[in-house]
Amino acid sequence: MYINEVIRRVREYYPSEYSECELYTWCNEVSAMLAAEDRTVYHELHPPAAPDGTILLPEGVRMEQVTHIYIGRRELPRRLCALPPGIMPQGELTVIYEEPYRPIRMPRYQGMAEADGDRLYIHDCEFVSGDMLIITCGGIKTRGIPLLAVEYDPDDIRGYILTVEDGTLPELSGAASVIIEREVTDKTVCDAPYDVMYIDYLLAKIAQYQRDTAAYNTNMAAFDMSLNEYKRWLTAHMPHEKHKLKNYW
């Protein structure tokens, strides 16, 4: 289920004063828990080692998320933050790590912008290639604008240049005041029918902050039931292989 579908259904079931940003934050809580405890994703990295033996990990990856370090077929102790002194890789260096959960990105730009064909010039940018943009100008909101590239030109008065799909930019006569947002296209970590746990969790959080204890307990019980059913489904569908020791005495 798309996260926006979760929020739409929550608003239909129980209209509240909470903003989309707050609802996205609560969705992040569920996704982060599932990603850390039940749906861990492992990545393999082949980084270069610095002369002092330091290994550079990807941004956001901490040492406790590293599960294995190999030089060729030799495994090094995971507690090492760098290669031992005097030991430089004599084979390919491999790092296996748990991919950290990446929260829903909600960048927003509000200020002056200028359009030129398929390029948009702005002062500040937290958008990345692949984002779908929503541009509001003069009270008119244009959705579904694919962002193809982001460049920075220090010689340009505005600095950042967004290249979008040709013909998708709204009409801007010279410099204009705009609001640019990223259209959230993220999905729930779990699939149907267990993705309803997001709806139950958001309804429980709303009830919690409104001090509605009965509604909170009801929705949290539904959330816990969906979560437990999902964990049982994962356990039943995880690969189970028999292992035996050979040449052991």
Side-chain angles (χ1 to χ4, degrees):
M1 187 189 307
Y2 284 97
I3 293 294
N4 281 339
E5 175 65 14
V6 171
I7 292 177
R8 184 188 67 79
R9 291 173 63 178
V10 167
R11 291 199 185 283
E12 286 181 352
Y13 296 155
Y14 198 97
S16 69
E17 70 276 20
Y18 297 103
S19 67
E20 285 190 352
C21 182
E22 290 170 304
L23 298 179
Y24 286 140
T25 300
W26 295 336
C27 287
N28 278 329
E29 293 178 8
V30 181
S31 295
M33 178 195 64
L34 293 177
E37 299 178 5
D38 303 297
R39 289 294 300 270
T40 305
V41 176
Y42 294 90
H43 281 199
E44 181 177 305
L45 177 70
H46 301 281
D52 62 354
T54 302
I55 302 171
L56 182 63
L57 295 175
E59 183 178 359
V61 177
R62 301 183 301 275
M63 195 59 201
E64 57 266 29
Q65 293 170 311
V66 174
T67 59
H68 300 281
I69 304 175
Y70 297 96
I71 296 180
R73 294 187 177 183
R74 176 188 175 189
E75 183 173 3
L76 298 178
R78 190 170 64 90
R79 65 179 180 275
L80 294 177
C81 296
L83 300 180
I87 298 182
M88 292 304 295
Q90 300 300 315
E92 187 175 41
L93 180 62
T94 303
V95 177
I96 310 296
Y97 64 92
E98 298 175 1
E99 174 68 18
Y101 172 69
R102 310 290 181 182
I104 298 170
R105 293 176 45 254
M106 293 174 283
R108 188 176 190 271
Y109 172 81
Q110 183 171 2
M112 301 302 292
E114 190 168 355
D116 180 15
D118 61 353
R119 312 184 92 189
L120 190 65
Y121 299 81
I122 59 178
H123 291 287
D124 187 32
C125 180
E126 295 181 358
F127 305 101
V128 298
S129 300
D131 283 348
M132 297 293 286
L133 304 181
I134 304 172
I135 299 180
T136 304
C137 180
I140 300 175
K141 183 174 290 189
T142 305
R143 293 181 173 272
I145 302 175
L147 179 57
L148 305 181
V150 178
E151 303 171 72
Y152 178 72
D153 184 359
D155 298 324
D156 188 274
I157 188 173
R158 302 199 188 280
Y160 290 93
I161 306 171
L162 310 185
T163 302
V164 302
E165 189 173 292
D166 192 28
T168 59
L169 277 179
E171 291 291 336
L172 298 180
S173 55
S177 178
V178 301
I179 298 175
I180 306 175
E181 301 165 285
R182 173 184 178 254
E183 189 165 6
V184 174
T185 56
D186 304 62
K187 290 185 175 183
T188 57
V189 172
C190 58
D191 297 322
Y194 311 104
D195 50 6
V196 295
M197 73 173 71
Y198 281 78
I199 298 173
D200 295 326
Y201 187 81
L202 265 60
L203 291 174
K205 294 292 285 189
I206 293 172
Q208 178 186 10
Y209 285 105
Q210 292 182 342
R211 294 180 173 83
D212 187 343
T213 305
Y216 171 79
N217 290 336
T218 300
N219 288 299
M220 279 305 295
F223 168 77
D224 289 337
M225 184 173 65
S226 295
L227 178 60
N228 291 331
E229 289 177 354
Y230 179 59
K231 289 184 176 183
R232 284 195 293 269
W233 181 87
L234 280 178
T235 301
H237 288 79
M238 291 291 285
H240 299 281
E241 298 180 1
K242 293 183 179 180
H243 296 81
K244 62 176 64 176
L245 297 175
K246 293 185 178 181
N247 301 324
Y248 176 77
W249 63 90

